[in-house]
Amino acid sequence: MKKGKFFLRFFAVIILGLPVVFASCDNGNEPEPEPTVENNLSGSVTNIKTLDASIAYLLDGPLIVEEGGVLNIPAGTSIKAKKGFSSYILVLQGGKINVNGTAEKPVKITSNEAKPEAGDWGGLIINGRAPLAGGAIGSTEINSAYTYGGTNAADNSGSITYLILEYTGARSSADVEHNGFTLNGVGNGTKIENIYIPNGSDDGVEFFGGSVNVKNLLVVNSDDDMFDVTQGWNGTLENCYGIWEAGYSSTESDASGVEADGNFDGNFPAHTGQSDFTIKNMTIDLRLAASSDPKQQMNNVLKIRRGAKANIVNALVKGTGSVKSAGAVIDMTDKKGNGNTASTISITNQLTSNPAEYKFGDDVFLNVKIEAGNTGCPANNFNWTAYNF
């Protein structure tokens, strides 16, 4: 008898010559009800929540991993997000997310729209307790009630491997918008490796302070900056690749390959502990046709400003795309403060559009160089994405 069915049968047997009636339960020919599967994701995670890779999930509101909560996402899990600003995943201070994708079975979070577009849903945000410039405490851009920053550089917010974040960057206004991946005061006890962020509005990834290290990051067609740094980030980004594909058009006026601020919005030039970060093995590939259309031009390849100290090793920019006439391959200037003169940068310029090379203002940058010989990031690091390089 299958679980959940009731039979009602009467039958007789003869035992010692006497009829005996037995009863059992049945509901006739009614079908067995299907089990209910909870596939909608939203609300708070306060304990340990482990998803099931066999279930197709719908992210239909904010999914908040609270302090003490753990969200486990196994290899091969697919999550589709309902269109809107409020569809996002946020890990609060003291919470953890473990995305356990593999090269063969990555985890994918994407839009639920039939015709998906950049900005359909929010993205992934992690708030940690690692330090920010000036020892400040920050407020999450999309909801100021959620804070980040602290004193623990080794803070651990979990482990993320082989993750695709697609069609991210929903906004509620020009000043309040999601990135593909937002790392707010995240500590270096957090593991982040093998991330693919295609077709998103605003930045591909933004580091708001903290000390987290990221390895193997591919960003394709980010509407704003590919890799954005601010508020005192002091970690390492190793093996990163940014692409604008042929025909792509940005809605932002100042999109760059790397945009780095030492302090938040350049408003705190006296802060100690300003951004002092490392990027190893980076390729920026502008596949656009050389164009006078500003929407098809990058503002700068590298924009290092407002006290930021960059250590960029083995960088390469290539392609046919244009850099704006007011921009440069390396721009270390800004009205709110130039980049730190102790920065060390080596980038090879293979752009066919021949943009201006340097903007240094009145400062001297002895170790900021455009030079031949750099190979950038190996494309085969991203074979698992199946992207056609």
Side-chain angles (χ1 to χ4, degrees):
M1 181 172 66
K2 292 185 178 180
K3 184 178 180 181
K5 284 191 174 182
F6 289 91
F7 295 82
L8 186 58
R9 294 176 182 159
F10 294 90
F11 55 94
V13 297
I14 302 299
I15 300 177
L16 299 177
L18 298 175
V20 181
V21 177
F22 291 84
S24 65
C25 296
D26 191 3
N27 67 345
N29 296 319
E30 293 183 16
E32 183 178 0
E34 293 293 327
T36 299
V37 176
E38 182 58 54
N39 68 338
N40 285 33
L41 291 175
S42 60
S44 295
V45 177
T46 57
N47 296 305
I48 297 176
K49 182 179 182 66
T50 300
L51 303 188
D52 183 341
S54 68
I55 295 173
Y57 291 96
L58 177 67
L59 181 67
D60 61 353
L63 181 63
I64 310 295
V65 183
E66 306 278 352
E67 181 174 9
V70 179
L71 176 63
N72 296 318
I73 306 180
T77 300
S78 175
I79 300 172
K80 291 189 175 182
K82 184 178 179 180
K83 185 173 182 176
F85 181 82
S86 63
S87 294
Y88 59 86
I89 299 175
L90 170 60
V91 182
L92 300 183
Q93 292 180 310
K96 288 187 177 181
I97 182 171
N98 297 310
V99 177
N100 299 313
T102 65
E104 296 75 23
K105 295 181 178 181
V107 170
K108 185 174 185 178
I109 311 178
T110 187
S111 169
N112 191 48
E113 291 293 291
K115 295 181 178 180
E117 297 178 336
D120 273 353
W121 67 286
L124 174 59
I125 309 115
I126 302 178
N127 288 2
R129 293 191 170 115
L132 312 180
I137 297 297
S139 295
T140 307
E141 179 177 328
I142 61 162
N143 188 329
S144 61
Y146 300 122
T147 59
Y148 60 90
T151 59
N152 183 10
D155 191 37
N156 182 354
S157 297
S159 174
I160 300 175
T161 59
Y162 294 100
L163 172 64
I164 300 170
L165 296 167
E166 192 173 42
Y167 302 112
T168 55
R171 65 178 63 186
S172 64
S173 71
D175 297 320
V176 180
E177 55 192 337
H178 291 274
N179 301 298
F181 196 7
T182 304
L183 299 167
N184 293 325
V186 178
N188 58 32
T190 308
K191 178 181 179 180
I192 302 178
E193 296 183 0
N194 299 301
I195 311 296
Y196 176 32
I197 307 174
N199 305 314
S201 287
D202 207 35
D203 304 318
V205 62
E206 184 159 10
F207 299 88
F208 288 86
S211 54
V212 65
N213 302 312
V214 175
K215 186 174 182 180
N216 298 337
L217 172 62
L218 172 61
V219 174
V220 177
N221 293 343
S222 59
D223 195 38
D224 199 0
D225 308 311
M226 295 170 174
F227 316 110
D228 199 339
V229 174
T230 189
Q231 214 169 359
W233 178 55
N234 59 22
T236 296
L237 174 56
E238 182 176 358
N239 299 331
C240 56
Y241 211 117
I243 298 172
W244 274 2
E245 294 178 319
Y248 185 70
S249 180
S250 171
T251 67
E252 299 286 346
S253 62
D254 59 350
S256 296
V258 174
E259 182 182 89
D261 293 0
N263 58 87
F264 190 66
D265 285 344
N267 294 327
F268 305 94
H271 270 174
T272 58
Q274 299 206 18
S275 298
D276 184 354
F277 62 94
T278 298
I279 296 178
K280 296 180 179 179
N281 311 325
M282 174 175 65
T283 296
I284 294 174
D285 187 355
L286 304 181
R287 301 179 179 181
L288 306 173
S291 172
S292 60
D293 182 352
K295 293 182 178 180
Q296 294 188 324
Q297 294 179 326
M298 182 163 273
N299 194 41
N300 296 281
V301 178
L302 306 179
K303 178 74 170 179
I304 313 299
R305 62 187 186 180
R306 301 173 180 176
K309 180 182 175 184
N311 177 32
I312 299 177
V313 181
N314 187 31
L316 168 67
V317 59
K318 64 179 183 177
T320 55
S322 301
V323 174
K324 293 178 181 178
S325 58
V329 174
I330 304 175
D331 183 355
M332 306 293 292
T333 67
D334 188 77
K335 63 183 180 181
K336 289 188 176 182
N338 292 348
N340 191 311
T341 57
S343 296
T344 299
I345 297 174
S346 174
I347 186 169
T348 295
N349 177 20
Q350 293 181 356
L351 287 173
T352 60
S353 56
N354 294 317
E357 292 194 330
Y358 301 102
K359 288 183 71 176
F360 285 170
D362 295 329
D363 289 335
V364 176
F365 295 87
L366 296 176
N367 296 307
V368 175
K369 300 176 181 178
I370 297 173
E371 54 191 357
N374 290 344
T375 56
C377 178
N380 62 8
N381 285 12
F382 307 103
N383 287 347
W384 63 274
T385 68
Y387 183 78
N388 183 13
F389 284 88

